[in-house]
Amino acid sequence: MMHEDNDPSLSGGGGGSGPGSGSGAGNSLSAARSDPTSAGGRARHRSAAAAAASAASSAAAASSLTGNTNTGSSTGLATSAGGGIATTTSTGFVSKLLLLLTLLLKIILYPLRKLSILIFPPGPYDGITSKSCSDKAARDFVATFRKYLSSSATASTADASSSSANPFSTEGYRTTVNEIVSSASSSSSSPLLLIYLHSSLHPDCAKFCETTLSDPRLVAYLNQSSSAGGGGGGGDMIRCFGALTGSADGAHLAQTLGAAAYPFLCLVGVKSSSSGGSSRSSSNSRNNSNSSSIILEVKLKMQGRKLAILATDSLLAYLQTVVRQHDAAMAQENARRLQRQEEAMLRQEQDREYRETLEADRAREEARRAEQEREEAERRAKEEEELRAVEERENALAKAMSLVGDEPPAGTAD
């Protein structure tokens, strides 16, 4: 059994129609809204309060989320900026610290380096960049060659003064080629460089030194052709340099000149790349150890067993032939250089004469122009003088006529 008072808003909802019914329904609804003690009113108030509470909690949650987001972003930016500054500061500090440590290590290790050089001085096999080491290597070869030279001079009946003198340089390879380049730049001649590489491990080298290289005729020829040997008389045509294959100079030359067997003998022309174009020959090589400006032009190359059994007369003939060819080439080059110098002087003389002729023509033109201006000025002065004379005559005639007066009419008595 349903009780209508439990739900007054539904009373008459399914009943009859008419003003009475509508008024009853509206009155019941108004009474339910105005009466909070009724069941319907209490339910509506509870639902409204729940909705308001839900809206308030949603707004609070949104506001809290926005505030947290802003706070988090601000905190993140601050943290990022602080981290970047800290990283930059730490990097700069580390760089300065490393620089300071490097300077300290250099200061501490410098005396140790000097002390190690004093205790363990560089030897002849420690590189060609050191002049003292290179010179010592050259002197070691000369000492080795003198043994063969003394034994050959003792057994020979030739002139001791020309056969006992050492033709090989006692200075290092770098110094020797620099002297040749300087000699070529200061004079019209460029001596050739005779390079001999000696290996104590090859028995053919000892045989070659005993029988051929220390032969009095070859030694005399080399001394006469080289200013380094002290023989003189033959001009500065050949400079001799020898090296042991175990030395730094010898190893470098063996690699540069392509030595494949020993004994090794090579006659090269030394040029500076700054003095002209690249040299053309059957085999050219650059001396990279000295500098890229030195060029070695191979003229004669002999090595191995064929050189060891070569007779002294044949070797002398080869050397003399190459020297004559080199002298002829140098003579042609000097002639071309003199021709270029003469042509340059002729061009300079022609340019000077042209400038003088041009200056004379300019002076004559200025004089002619000045003469024309003078004549023009004199003509103008003469014309002005004539005009003034004519004006003076006309003025004088007019004045005279004014004094005489008008002529009387004809037939009148005076």
Side-chain angles (χ1 to χ4, degrees):
M1 183 176 180
M2 296 181 64
H3 299 277
E4 294 180 3
D5 54 355
N6 292 336
D7 193 1
S9 61
L10 297 179
S11 61
S17 61
S21 299
S23 176
N27 293 333
S28 300
L29 182 59
S30 298
R33 290 177 178 175
S34 59
D35 187 7
T37 58
S38 62
R42 288 193 298 271
R44 290 182 182 278
H45 278 288
R46 283 195 299 269
S47 60
S54 176
S57 62
S58 299
S63 133
S64 175
L65 181 60
T66 304
N68 291 336
T69 302
N70 294 335
T71 304
S73 61
S74 301
T75 305
L77 290 175
T79 304
S80 176
I85 295 173
T87 303
T88 304
T89 305
S90 62
T91 303
F93 176 74
V94 170
S95 301
K96 293 180 179 179
L97 182 60
L98 290 177
L99 179 61
L100 180 60
L101 290 176
T102 303
L103 294 176
L104 290 176
L105 286 176
K106 287 183 178 180
I107 294 173
I108 294 173
L109 295 178
Y110 182 78
L112 296 178
R113 179 175 176 272
K114 292 297 183 181
L115 182 61
S116 65
I117 293 176
L118 292 176
I119 298 175
F120 307 102
Y125 313 108
D126 293 332
I128 61 176
T129 56
S130 174
K131 184 180 184 302
S132 59
C133 297
S134 185
D135 293 346
K136 189 176 186 305
R139 290 193 298 269
D140 290 345
F141 169 78
V142 170
T144 301
F145 177 70
R146 284 186 185 278
K147 297 177 183 179
Y148 300 103
L149 190 63
S150 59
S151 60
S152 177
T154 303
S156 176
T157 58
D159 185 11
S161 62
S162 61
S163 62
S164 61
N166 167 52
F168 290 93
S169 174
T170 57
E171 296 180 336
Y173 170 71
R174 182 191 295 267
T175 305
T176 303
V177 296
N178 286 338
E179 288 179 354
I180 294 177
V181 171
S182 300
S183 175
S185 61
S186 60
S187 63
S188 59
S189 63
S190 176
L192 296 173
L193 178 62
L194 179 68
I195 299 175
Y196 171 68
L197 302 180
H198 182 82
S199 175
S200 58
L201 301 178
H202 291 73
D204 290 338
C205 292
K207 180 181 178 181
F208 175 72
C209 288
E210 290 175 356
T211 59
T212 304
L213 191 60
S214 59
D215 189 284
R217 293 170 295 173
L218 179 61
V219 173
Y221 173 74
L222 294 178
N223 283 327
Q224 292 173 2
S225 303
S226 173
S227 61
D236 192 9
M237 297 182 295
I238 298 178
R239 302 284 182 92
C240 300
F241 177 78
L244 302 174
T245 56
S247 66
D249 283 342
H252 167 73
L253 288 173
Q255 181 180 5
T256 302
L257 298 174
Y262 297 97
F264 180 85
L265 189 69
C266 189
L267 192 61
V268 299
V270 181
K271 290 186 177 182
S272 175
S273 61
S274 60
S275 63
S278 59
S279 302
R280 299 176 179 267
S281 68
S282 59
S283 56
N284 294 345
S285 59
R286 288 184 179 274
N287 176 22
N288 296 324
S289 67
N290 186 17
S291 65
S292 59
S293 61
I294 300 299
I295 300 176
L296 300 182
E297 183 181 1
V298 177
K299 305 290 187 178
L300 177 66
K301 181 177 178 180
M302 296 177 291
Q303 58 184 337
R305 183 67 179 172
K306 292 183 179 181
L307 176 62
I309 63 176
L310 186 66
T312 304
D313 295 336
S314 300
L315 181 57
L316 277 172
Y318 286 140
L319 295 177
Q320 291 170 355
T321 300
V322 174
V323 169
R324 284 195 298 267
Q325 293 176 354
H326 176 69
D327 290 342
M330 289 300 300
Q332 293 179 0
E333 185 175 350
N334 293 332
R336 288 193 296 267
R337 185 176 65 253
L338 292 176
Q339 183 179 1
R340 290 193 298 268
Q341 292 177 356
E342 291 177 358
E343 291 176 354
M345 294 177 60
L346 180 60
R347 286 195 298 269
Q348 293 178 359
E349 183 68 20
Q350 291 175 350
D351 292 342
R352 185 182 62 81
E353 292 178 356
Y354 174 74
R355 289 193 297 269
E356 291 178 353
T357 304
L358 189 63
E359 186 67 23
D361 293 342
R362 186 181 298 109
R364 285 195 296 270
E365 182 65 23
E366 291 179 355
R368 186 181 64 80
R369 188 181 299 110
E371 182 65 21
Q372 289 179 353
E373 292 177 354
R374 185 183 62 79
E375 292 176 356
E376 182 68 18
E378 291 178 355
R379 184 182 63 79
R380 290 177 180 178
K382 185 176 180 181
E383 290 179 353
E384 292 177 355
E385 183 68 23
E386 292 176 353
L387 289 175
R388 284 195 297 271
V390 170
E391 290 178 355
E392 289 178 357
R393 286 195 299 269
E394 290 179 352
N395 293 333
L397 181 59
K399 184 177 181 181
M401 291 179 64
S402 64
L403 293 177
V404 172
D406 296 335
E407 185 180 357
T412 59
D414 293 339

